[in-house]
Structure formats: C-alpha cells, structure tokens
Amino acid sequence: LRADRLRALGGRGRTPAIDAMAARGALFRRAYCTTPHTSYSLASLMMGTFARSVLALPGRSRRHGTLAGWLGEGGYATAGFYPPAVFAVDGDRFGDLRERHFDFAHRDESYANGPDRVRQVERWLDARRPHERVFVWVHLFEPHESYERHPEHPYGDSPQERYDAECSAADDAVRALRESFARRGRRAAWIVTADHGEEFGEHGGSFHGTSVYDEQVHVPLI
C-alpha cells in the first residue's frame, strides 16, 4: 500500500476507514520500509532491526527475538494471519523465523481475501476469554499484483485502477476488523502500515523490490 493512496497523505480518498483512523490517531508522514520486499520488510517489523543486513551477516545468530515472542512471554495470546508468500523469496535466510512463524502461538498461513481473513480472525477471537490480552497481526494480501478486480469497487481496468480497487478492498477489511473487535467489547490499539509500496513506471519500473524511490518505500504508518 503506497502512502500516496491515502487521502490523509495526499491521495485520492479511496480508503475512508484508514483515513478516518489517521484523522483520530497518530499519522506518520515520513514512514519508510527498510526494504521494498515483503520478507525482509516484515522481518524488520517483527524483529525491530534491519533484517536484510542482519540476516546476511556471516556467522549470524540463528535466534532472533520477535514482537510476538516478547508479548507472548508477557501473557498475551498471539495470532498471526498471513499468506505463504511472506517467505517466498530468499527462504533459506529466514529458516529459523519461518519455522517459528515469527513466534505467533496461533497462525493461519493461507491465501485469503479480505472477508475470509476477517472471518478467520473472528473465529480466533471468539475462542478467547473475554478479558484475555491479545496481539493480532493481520496481513492483507490486497493490494498486490496481479491486482484482482473487485465488483464493489468498479474503478476501471487499467493496472492502476485495479490497484486502487485493491486498496479499497483492503480498507473494507480494516473497517470490518475494527467492527469485529467493537462488537466483542474489545478495546484495542490499532497500527496500520505496509511492507512496501508499488511502482507504476514512475522511474521505469513496475511492482516493487527494484528501487528505493518513494513509490516503493514510502508507506503509511498510523
């Protein structure tokens, strides 16, 4: 999710739920992923370090602490919902983290669209005790190539327009997740960010993982 797709950051306003969160919360206008690449960027988020550099060190430690691990030790029930593509590239470097699933006690590693992902989270929440502290990471695969069409967001058929529809579909899922927590009487702190952006030829490239121009590395952080 590119930062400039949010109205809160100068975009076209196709993400009303996320923009409403930005209006009420803390909006970081200069947030950048450590690497415009899913595996390394998410590992950086989970470990709190520059994963690409750390994991490339010779003789590096095979054991790295993670946010889910630390919170689990502090009494939180932890759950991660993410696609298998998280470790699809350079998998040998992520062996330990991949086997530990970033230390989430519960994990659903599957391809799922936004509504299905929300239902997965709801089923997990319903199995928790009412006052049990939880830490939930939900990785929405929208927006991502090949930019699926979303009939409820008919913006056109160009790659950029289909990408915009994917951004709106992700926004729908964020809204549904917030409603799910509210219906269950759970107060929550929410963090919305992205592992990288996406390029549409602004500097001669496509997708991500090829440059450190803003369209690939400038991400939302709310």
Side-chain angles (χ1 to χ4, degrees), residues 12 19 21 33 60 77-78 105 134 167 173:
R12 294 183 291 233
D19 285 325
M21 295 173 70
C33 63
R60 67 188 185 279
T78 62
V134 302
C167 293

Side-chain angles (χ1 to χ4, degrees), residues 178-216:
R178 288 175 59 81
E179 291 173 352
S180 294
F181 274 73
R183 283 197 304 272
R184 288 159 177 79
R186 286 190 172 272
R187 298 179 60 196
W190 293 86
I191 301 171
V192 176
T193 190
D195 49 349
H196 54 74
E198 198 80 333
E199 183 177 354
F200 292 94
E202 291 90 342
H203 290 92
S206 299
F207 309 127
H208 55 270
T210 57
S211 80
V212 290
Y213 286 109
D214 269 15
E215 55 267 17
Q216 293 198 33

Side-chain angles (χ1 to χ4, degrees):
L1 176 59
R2 291 170 56 137
D4 66 6
R5 281 312 192 260
L6 304 187
R7 175 170 289 185
L9 292 168
R12 294 183 291 233
R14 298 171 187 259
T15 54
I18 298 175
D19 285 325
M21 295 173 70
R24 293 193 300 270
L27 172 65
F28 294 79
R29 297 186 177 277
R30 294 184 178 180
Y32 300 88
C33 63
T34 58
T35 309
H37 179 292
T38 296
S39 303
Y40 292 109
S41 184
L42 291 178
S44 295
L45 282 173
M46 296 301 173
M47 297 193 307
T49 189
F50 291 95
R52 191 178 183 95
S53 301
V54 169
L55 296 175
L57 290 172
R60 67 188 185 279
S61 168
R62 302 300 298 181
R63 184 80 184 182
H64 299 282
T66 64
L67 182 57
W70 295 316
L71 288 174
E73 292 171 0
Y76 281 75
T78 62
F81 302 84
Y82 58 94
V86 164
F87 297 114
V89 179
D90 291 350
D92 57 321
R93 288 190 176 179
F94 298 93
D96 179 55
L97 288 172
R98 184 178 65 245
E99 292 166 8
R100 288 159 45 203
H101 305 277
F102 288 131
D103 295 324
F104 283 95
H106 173 88
R107 53 264 186 181
D108 194 319
E109 188 175 356
S110 62
Y111 288 105
N113 60 28
D116 287 342
R117 194 64 90 196
V118 172
R119 284 189 284 270
Q120 291 171 354
V121 175
E122 289 176 335
R123 286 194 293 269
W124 183 80
L125 279 176
D126 288 340
R128 309 272 65 79
R129 299 188 305 275
H131 300 293
E132 188 174 11
R133 293 183 299 173
V134 302
F135 170 57
V136 185
W137 168 45
V138 184
H139 183 95
L140 300 170
F141 203 56
E142 305 93 350
H144 201 284
E145 82 269 2
S146 54
Y147 315 134
E148 300 292 331
R149 295 174 179 83
H150 295 270
E152 69 277 22
H153 299 293
Y155 295 134
D157 199 43
S158 71
Q160 288 210 46
E161 288 170 320
R162 283 187 282 121
Y163 175 81
D164 287 339
E166 293 251 274
C167 293
S168 293
D171 188 73
D172 289 344
V174 169
R175 174 184 49 78
L177 285 167
R178 288 175 59 81
E179 291 173 352
S180 294
F181 274 73
R183 283 197 304 272
R184 288 159 177 79
R186 286 190 172 272
R187 298 179 60 196
W190 293 86
I191 301 171
V192 176
T193 190
D195 49 349
H196 54 74
E198 198 80 333
E199 183 177 354
F200 292 94
E202 291 90 342
H203 290 92
S206 299
F207 309 127
H208 55 270
T210 57
S211 80
V212 290
Y213 286 109
D214 269 15
E215 55 267 17
Q216 293 198 33
V217 300
H218 188 195
V219 295
L221 177 58
I222 300 166

